[in-house]
């Protein structure tokens, strides 16, 4: 039964995740990003619809997405050069880039709810999410066991990711209900105050995100040290085996 196998895999993945503080923190990073990303997209869309004429909305979307994609390419290339020259960099430096950029752009938006600030929300997400942040998240699974890499990771990347998106959509639906105003055409739209409050909510989520990054950063380094300490005796034993003369040699 396919559904039964999927359910068993989900239960096994959840069991592995909730037994490990490290995996819970990874799940937190994934979930908090999905919530934040959906909220940022909602704010960006609402600001575009409010300040950009209808005939220019498509052009504005295209410009913002293009800037984000170019920024992601530049950041990824820069990170590749950095990683090649400094291979012992600390993983939490990379994982902090995205939440830090979102926090700064959200604070700017709260202080100045204008179109440029709304566009920066989307650009900060696009620039770092699919470049260094994606690389950093994938690196976190390297020191784990084979079962944790595949079973727990599948649970995090599927169930937690989708749960985060649903939670964000639910929040975005509640905001217009309580914080809507009518524009000049008589249509309901989310008030600027509502969008600013969403920015404050984003900052709270990012504070939790920072905490998860702190946890995984310390644990990742600990796991890597354990792997190295276990590998050194094996390498020494292998070297001794190679040095031993074969039977019959003098």
């Amino acid at each position: 039964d396919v559904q039964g196998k999927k359910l068993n895999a989900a239960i096994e993945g959840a069991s592995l995740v909730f037994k490990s503080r490290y995996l819970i923190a990874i799940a937190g990073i994934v979930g908090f990003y999905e919530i934040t990303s959906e909220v940022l997209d909602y704010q960006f869309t609402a600001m575009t619809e409010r300040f950009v004429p209808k005939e220019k909305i498509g052009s504005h979307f295209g410009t913002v997405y293009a800037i984000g994609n170019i920024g992601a390419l530049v950041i990824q290339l820069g990170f590749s050069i950095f990683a090649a020259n400094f291979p012992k960099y600390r993983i939490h430096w990379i994982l902090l880039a995205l939440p830090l950029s979102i926090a700064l752009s959200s604070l700017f938006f709260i202080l100045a709810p204008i179109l440029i600030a709304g566009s920066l929300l989307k650009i900060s997400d696009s620039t770092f999410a699919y470049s260094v942040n994606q690389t950093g998240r994938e690196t976190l699974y390297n020191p784990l066991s084979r079962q944790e890499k595949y079973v727990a990771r599948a649970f995090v990347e599927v169930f937690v990711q989708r749960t985060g998106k649903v939670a964000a959509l639910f929040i975005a639906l509640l905001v217009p209900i309580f914080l809507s105003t009518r524009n000049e055409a008589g249509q309901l739209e989310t008030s600027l105050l509502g969008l600013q409050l969403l920015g404050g909510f984003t900052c709270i989520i990012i504070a939790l995100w920072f905490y998860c990054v702190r946890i995984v950063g310390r644990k990742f380094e600990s796991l890597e040290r354990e792997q190295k300490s276990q590998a050194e005796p094996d390498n020494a034993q292998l070297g001794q085996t190679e040095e031993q003369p074969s039977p019959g040699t003098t």
Side-chain angles (χ1 to χ4, degrees), residues 92-112:
H92 71 270
W93 295 350
I94 305 304
L95 294 172
L96 284 174
L98 176 59
L100 183 59
S101 67
I102 292 176
L104 293 175
S105 59
S106 293
L107 288 173
F108 177 40
F109 179 78
I110 292 171
L111 296 173

Side-chain angles (χ1 to χ4, degrees), residues 62-85:
T63 300
V64 170
Y65 285 126
I67 293 172
N69 291 335
I70 293 171
L73 178 61
V74 172
I75 292 295
Q76 187 62 35
L77 289 174
F79 170 70
S80 299
I81 296 171
F82 171 81
N85 289 281

Side-chain angles (χ1 to χ4, degrees), residues 150-228:
Y150 294 101
V151 179
R153 180 177 182 175
F155 174 79
V156 170
E157 299 295 337
V158 176
F159 180 79
V160 175
Q161 192 175 59
R162 292 179 181 177
T163 301
K165 287 186 176 182
V166 171
L169 290 173
F170 180 72
I171 293 166
L173 286 173
L174 286 178
V175 170
I177 295 175
F178 298 102
L179 296 166
S180 293
T181 57
R182 292 191 178 274
N183 57 22
E184 295 178 356
Q187 298 174 336
L188 282 175
E189 63 180 11
T190 306
S191 66
L192 286 177
L193 175 60
L195 295 173
Q196 288 171 292
L197 289 176
L198 277 178
F201 170 77
T202 298
C203 290
I204 294 173
I205 295 296
I206 287 175
L208 298 173
W209 188 346
F210 281 153
Y211 180 68
C212 290
V213 170
R214 180 185 177 189
I215 292 173
V216 298
R218 291 180 175 179
K219 186 62 177 178
F220 179 82
E221 292 175 357
S222 174
L223 290 171
E224 279 204 321
R225 285 194 297 268
E226 289 178 10
Q227 280 191 339
K228 288 179 180 178

